[in-house]
Amino acid sequence: MVKVKEPLNSEYNYLQGQLLFTFLHLAGVEKELTYRLLESGTTAIAYETLENRQGDLPLLAPLSAIAGNMAALVGSFIWPNLIMEMVCSWDQSWVSGMGKC
């Protein structure tokens, strides 16, 4: 079984004795998935744990680069609004003259 993301609850019954190749990240999912994987006899290979001979994580590196780029983009969108909310809650008289709050 090849997936991009960990199995959904509705897919747990398909795990019996399978070879699962996916981004698994068991620390960030429901404990039920870990228990079901153990009980089912499934061999689970997580993309994010595969290393090459140099010890690099070649399947994780591109996603880390994308996440880094996305973080900057999302931050540039959220940051101005967050700052304005903080300022408005701190001292509304300071920004009320600017018509922002």
Side-chain angles (χ1 to χ4, degrees), residues 41-62:
T42 294
T43 300
I45 301 171
Y47 298 141
E48 68 270 18
T49 62
L50 294 178
E51 296 181 6
N52 62 16
R53 290 186 176 129
Q54 292 77 34
D56 299 325
L57 302 167
L59 299 180
L60 187 58

Side-chain angles (χ1 to χ4, degrees), residues 1-53:
M1 183 182 303
V2 177
K3 289 186 57 76
V4 174
K5 194 132 171 52
E6 68 274 347
L8 303 172
N9 292 1
S10 61
E11 299 171 322
Y12 289 176
N13 292 332
Y14 299 111
L15 295 174
Q16 296 300 323
Q18 295 290 321
L19 174 61
L20 175 64
F21 195 53
T22 187
F23 281 106
L24 205 46
H25 189 64
L26 291 175
V29 297
E30 298 175 8
K31 290 181 183 179
E32 178 67 17
L33 174 57
T34 304
Y35 295 134
R36 293 295 288 265
L37 286 169
L38 291 169
E39 292 170 358
S40 70
T42 294
T43 300
I45 301 171
Y47 298 141
E48 68 270 18
T49 62
L50 294 178
E51 296 181 6
N52 62 16
R53 290 186 176 129

